[in-house]
Amino acid sequence: MTRQLRQPNDESPLSRRLEGFTLLDDTEQKLVERVETSPKRSFHAGSRICVEGRQFSPQLIITGWACRLTDLTDGRRQIVELLCPGDLIGLGALAYPAALANVLALTTVRTVDASDLRSALKDRQYFPRLASGLELVIAEREAFLLNQIIRLGRMTAYERMAHLLIELDYRLKQRGLSESGSFVWPLTQEMLANTLGLSAVHTNRTLQQLRREGFLELGQGRLTLRRIDTLKSVAGFHPPVLQLSDDATYD
Amino acid sequence: MTRQLRQPNDESPLSRRLEGFTLLDDTEQKLVERVETSPKRSFHAGSRICVEGRQFSPQLIITGWACRLTDLTDGRRQIVELLCPGDLIGLGALAYPAALANVLALTTVRTVDASDLRSALKDRQYFPRLASGLELVIAEREAFLLNQIIRLGRMTAYERMAHLLIELDYRLKQRGLSESGSFVWPLTQEMLANTLGLSAVHTNRTLQQLRREGFLELGQGRLTLRRIDTLKSVAGFHPPVLQLSDDATYD
DNA sequence: CGCCGAATTGACACGGTTCAATTGAGGTGG
DNA sequence: CCACCTCAATTGAACCGTGTCAATTCGGCG
């Protein structure tokens, strides 16, 4: 069974990610492909993929964007992280307990069951490289959570936005979903505001400033970053340093 | 070998935490105790426990406080999470790669090697309950990271501070290190500011307001929270909902 | 063509920052 | 045991980044 040629918008975002992290053997590759092609669960925009405090089965996003968010009692709302194709839900701790936050579909989202990936993580001896790869996926996710904390805690609105957009480009590129800084942009300015910890109005103004300065273009559902290198240094963005640990040479 | 009576400030903070999560069998209990009593590594206040981008071995904090932080190029600094006795460093992803952020000792810190705990997590079949307990520890840590994001993104200075202090009380109580809202307080106002994403000046003023209103007392290295229930509702604090998942009854 | 949610704009208020002094408290050496 | 040093805590005043409120415009879709 030969590997199929991949289309620019194919449906194996996780395979792509893992390719960048580690070399899987044939069995592992097949396993991931089987997971990615298994029957999809579909959620329409605005529906809840999982509910805070309720158990749920681990899932892998194949298409569409979602987010994890928390609502405060008075209507304030914070998006904790954005989830794109290739992201896993509920694989952080292995035997994940209840969902720690709501997960909301931002567009139509299709997911597959990721229990088999969880098993591979648990019984790492059977699929050692896959397990290592998934651990890097998890570690990378943590790095992005830390980024979110830095953004909200110590950056100006302008820096926050630049930093987030660069991070998104970085993440999407890994999965073959961004080319030369251009990717689909399904986010409402209100959602973006809830991600960046800003008001919708100020989000709008900051977006305009970046546009005026020629750092980004927005149109028909796509966002394009220009002069990314300049932007990166403005926002102080550094890709996370991830490497498989060599168990022997710790310190 | 009978269980020793524990002093209020004993050196088995992780055992205490795990007791609250899951019931360990004798072997597992002994394993944890062996880890906790193994030779300590000592760090003096201000020294780095691990450096961003460098590999490090997993460690368990036995005494003292530390923090994970990131420095921006221009001197701004954000503390990502505070680490107290009973917290683990470097167990997030199993085969943790490089450190994602610096870890700095805020007081004198003594740690032990936690490799054996990591092994228990990896090969869960040998110590299933311990592994489950550690997974809850990891999940709880994630919940606190999410809390940090909510605080920084959507709360006022006043709420942030109340929320953080309550969370700390909650965490320390689990480990037998806080009684009726009172615990050691080694943090400088500047460090607190770097945690809350505020300036040191405003941190000072907010602290004073809480004091004036009778919500907290600070003196000789201890912090005491008063009228915690009121504070909890002011800050909207809810303890994380953690439960061992029952693999059979997902949805 | 008309509707509705999203994007945009302007004016104003305020939470929090910055800068610059001053006070306080713990530690050290003479 | 006091004088001194240093770092943390505290205070005041001016400034400014963002939030809020309230319209208005735009854009996609039935």
Side-chain angles (χ1 to χ4, degrees):
Chain A
M1 188 166 315
T2 58
R3 223 32 188 304
Q4 269 131 328
L5 190 67
R6 287 179 177 159
Q7 297 309 119
N9 273 315
D10 70 350
E11 305 207 338
S12 46
L14 183 60
S15 296
R16 295 226 172 173
R17 268 185 99 175
L18 290 171
E19 279 170 15
F21 284 149
T22 181
L23 211 55
L24 303 185
D25 66 30
D26 261 12
T27 325
E28 294 172 322
Q29 227 161 244
K30 293 246 173 60
L31 173 70
V32 177
E33 281 171 22
R34 187 164 51 71
V35 169
E36 288 180 324
T37 56
S38 61
K40 312 290 183 290
R41 249 172 102 170
S42 192
F43 302 86
H44 58 273
S47 67
R48 298 204 176 261
I49 297 178
C50 53
V51 178
E52 189 172 344
R54 290 258 298 281
Q55 294 191 347
F56 62 96
S57 53
Q59 289 175 74
L60 166 66
I61 299 182
I62 300 295
T63 59
W65 288 38
C67 66
R68 286 174 92 194
L69 57 76
T70 297
D71 287 297
L72 306 196
T73 50
D74 61 354
R76 282 176 290 179
R77 159 174 281 199
Q78 178 65 43
I79 292 180
V80 153
E81 59 176 339
L82 292 171
L83 301 168
C84 318
D87 279 324
L88 289 154
I89 306 176
L91 231 70
L94 301 192
Y96 218 65
L100 296 173
N102 296 307
V103 176
L104 190 72
L106 295 171
T107 66
T108 299
V109 170
R110 291 187 309 141
T111 70
V112 295
D113 179 76
S115 303
D116 290 347
L117 298 176
R118 203 180 57 144
S119 307
L121 251 179
K122 271 181 155 174
D123 306 312
R124 29 183 13 267
Q125 63 265 203
Y126 301 125
F127 310 101
R129 304 185 205 195
L130 175 55
S132 299
L134 289 173
E135 280 164 9
L136 284 181
V137 166
I138 291 172
E140 190 180 49
R141 197 181 74 95
E142 177 174 330
F144 293 137
L145 280 184
L146 301 194
N147 275 351
Q148 175 76 340
I149 292 176
I150 311 297
R151 280 192 293 262
L152 296 176
R154 284 297 183 227
M155 291 191 184
T156 66
Y158 186 83
E159 293 167 328
R160 280 182 215 184
M161 186 161 302
H163 196 276
L164 176 70
L165 294 179
I166 294 168
E167 182 186 291
L168 281 171
D169 175 56
Y170 176 84
R171 288 167 63 181
L172 292 169
K173 198 153 44 189
Q174 281 182 154
R175 302 149 201 214
L177 297 172
S178 171
E179 274 186 48
S180 51
S182 178
F183 47 90
V184 289
W185 184 251
L187 279 200
T188 251
Q189 289 187 10
E190 191 193 350
M191 288 301 167
L192 183 56
N194 286 331
T195 306
L196 295 173
L198 300 170
S199 68
V201 171
H202 198 64
T203 297
N204 179 292
R205 290 184 169 130
T206 307
L207 223 32
Q208 285 179 55
Q209 188 183 346
L210 284 166
R211 236 178 313 189
R212 262 200 315 278
E213 297 170 344
F215 284 120
L216 72 81
E217 286 165 30
L218 247 163
Q220 43 265 3
R222 290 192 76 78
L223 188 153
T224 308
L225 296 175
R226 304 280 182 204
R227 299 156 57 211
I228 299 198
D229 290 337
T230 312
L231 255 195
K232 274 184 187 160
S233 69
V234 166
F237 180 87
H238 304 287
V241 180
L242 300 175
Q243 11 168 141
L244 281 173
S245 65
D246 175 355
D247 270 68
T249 60
Y250 267 129
D251 177 277
Chain B
M1 186 167 314
T2 59
R3 230 21 196 305
Q4 270 132 327
L5 189 66
R6 285 177 179 162
Q7 298 309 120
N9 273 315
D10 70 351
E11 305 206 338
S12 47
L14 183 60
S15 296
R16 296 226 172 173
R17 272 185 97 175
L18 289 171
E19 278 170 16
F21 284 150
T22 182
L23 210 55
L24 304 185
D25 66 30
D26 261 13
T27 325
E28 294 171 323
Q29 228 161 243
K30 293 244 173 60
L31 173 74
V32 177
E33 282 171 21
R34 187 164 52 70
V35 168
E36 288 180 322
T37 55
S38 61
K40 312 289 183 290
R41 249 173 101 168
S42 192
F43 301 87
H44 57 273
S47 67
R48 299 202 175 263
I49 297 178
C50 54
V51 178
E52 189 173 343
R54 290 257 299 279
Q55 292 192 348
F56 62 96
S57 53
Q59 289 175 73
L60 167 65
I61 299 182
I62 301 295
T63 60
W65 287 38
C67 67
R68 286 173 91 193
L69 58 77
T70 298
D71 287 298
L72 305 197
T73 50
D74 61 355
R76 281 176 289 180
R77 159 175 281 200
Q78 177 65 44
I79 292 180
V80 153
E81 58 176 341
L82 292 171
L83 302 168
C84 318
D87 278 324
L88 290 154
I89 306 176
L91 230 72
L94 301 191
Y96 219 62
L100 296 173
N102 296 308
V103 176
L104 191 71
L106 294 171
T107 66
T108 299
V109 170
R110 290 187 311 140
T111 69
V112 295
D113 180 75
S115 303
D116 289 348
L117 298 176
R118 202 179 58 144
S119 305
L121 250 178
K122 271 181 154 173
D123 305 313
R124 28 185 11 267
Q125 62 266 206
Y126 302 125
F127 310 101
R129 303 185 204 196
L130 175 55
S132 298
L134 290 173
E135 280 164 10
L136 284 181
V137 167
I138 291 173
E140 191 181 48
R141 198 182 73 95
E142 178 173 329
F144 293 137
L145 279 184
L146 301 195
N147 275 352
Q148 175 76 339
I149 292 175
I150 312 297
R151 280 193 292 263
L152 296 175
R154 283 297 183 229
M155 292 190 182
T156 65
Y158 186 83
E159 293 166 328
R160 281 182 215 186
M161 186 161 301
H163 197 275
L164 176 71
L165 294 179
I166 294 168
E167 182 186 290
L168 281 172
D169 176 55
Y170 177 85
R171 288 167 62 180
L172 292 169
K173 198 153 44 188
Q174 281 183 155
R175 302 150 201 214
L177 298 171
S178 172
E179 275 186 48
S180 51
S182 179
F183 46 90
V184 290
W185 184 252
L187 279 198
T188 252
Q189 289 187 9
E190 190 193 350
M191 287 303 166
L192 183 56
N194 286 331
T195 306
L196 295 173
L198 300 171
S199 67
V201 171
H202 199 62
T203 297
N204 180 293
R205 290 182 171 133
T206 307
L207 224 32
Q208 286 179 53
Q209 188 184 346
L210 284 167
R211 235 176 316 189
R212 262 200 316 277
E213 297 171 344
F215 284 120
L216 71 81
E217 287 165 29
L218 247 162
Q220 44 264 5
R222 290 192 76 78
L223 188 152
T224 308
L225 296 176
R226 304 280 182 205
R227 300 156 58 210
I228 298 197
D229 290 336
T230 313
L231 255 196
K232 274 184 187 160
S233 70
V234 165
F237 180 86
H238 304 287
V241 180
L242 300 175
Q243 10 166 143
L244 281 173
S245 64
D246 175 356
D247 270 68
T249 60
Y250 267 129
D251 176 279

